């Protein structure tokens, strides 16, 4: 069996694991932002942390900034989802090639 194909298979698996990890982090950030946006809707006062201090900030402004940040993360999340699909397809193809080679060697 070609060691090149095995290396390619391992590399694709590692890439897929990395993408899944990053996608999970983004999903966590989205949940955090959703929670913060929900809280801001009912909050009378809002604060932002700058360095080591908390500073009062208008809720509308903070809400708008969080919404923009959420949109950016959503785009990144969608990109990682597309990349995940491509990697899964490549992984499946590489696995099939390796299996075919193994079957031919047994004959």
């Amino acid at each position: 069996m070609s060691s090149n194909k095995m290396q390619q298979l391992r590399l694709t698996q590692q890439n897929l694991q990395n993408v899944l990890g990053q996608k999970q982090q983004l999903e966590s950030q989205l949940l955090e932002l959703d929670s913060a946006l929900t809280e801001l809707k009912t909050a009378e006062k809002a604060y932002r942390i700058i360095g080591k201090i908390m500073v009062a900030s208008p809720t509308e402004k903070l809400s708008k900034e969080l919404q923009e940040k959420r949109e950016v993360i959503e785009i990144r999340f969608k990109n990682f989802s597309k990349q995940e699909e491509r990697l899964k397809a490549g992984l499946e193809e590489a696995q099939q090639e390796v299996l075919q080679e193994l079957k031919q060697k047994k004959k």
Side-chain angles (χ1 to χ4, degrees), residues 48-55:
R48 109 184 338 209
I49 297 175
I50 300 175
K52 294 183 180 186
I53 60 170
M54 275 193 342
V55 179

Side-chain angles (χ1 to χ4, degrees), residues 33-34 36-43 46-48 57-71:
L33 284 169
D34 286 341
L37 286 166
T38 302
E39 288 297 320
L40 275 176
K41 288 178 184 174
T42 59
Y47 298 89
R48 109 184 338 209
S57 181
T59 55
E60 302 84 30
K61 181 181 177 186
L62 204 51
S63 184
K64 183 180 177 191
E65 288 174 6
L66 290 177
Q67 190 60 42
E68 288 172 356
K69 186 175 181 180
R70 188 184 191 293
E71 289 170 7

Side-chain angles (χ1 to χ4, degrees), residues 10-49:
R10 281 191 209 105
L11 184 61
T12 304
Q13 287 172 330
Q14 287 174 350
N15 287 342
L16 181 59
Q17 289 301 317
N18 288 339
V19 166
L20 290 172
Q22 290 175 331
K23 190 176 160 190
Q24 188 175 18
Q25 287 176 343
L26 290 175
E27 192 170 24
S28 174
Q29 289 176 13
L30 284 172
L31 289 172
E32 230 176 85
L33 284 169
D34 286 341
S35 175
L37 286 166
T38 302
E39 288 297 320
L40 275 176
K41 288 178 184 174
T42 59
E44 293 177 19
K45 291 184 178 182
Y47 298 89
R48 109 184 338 209
I49 297 175

Side-chain angles (χ1 to χ4, degrees), residues 14-27 29-30 72-88:
Q14 287 174 350
N15 287 342
L16 181 59
Q17 289 301 317
N18 288 339
V19 166
L20 290 172
Q22 290 175 331
K23 190 176 160 190
Q24 188 175 18
Q25 287 176 343
L26 290 175
E27 192 170 24
Q29 289 176 13
L30 284 172
V72 169
I73 291 175
E74 273 184 329
I75 291 169
R76 290 182 62 209
F77 184 82
K78 288 176 186 176
N79 286 337
F80 277 116
S81 293
K82 289 176 186 175
Q83 191 174 357
E84 176 189 2
E85 292 305 314
R86 285 192 303 268
L87 285 170
K88 281 182 177 179

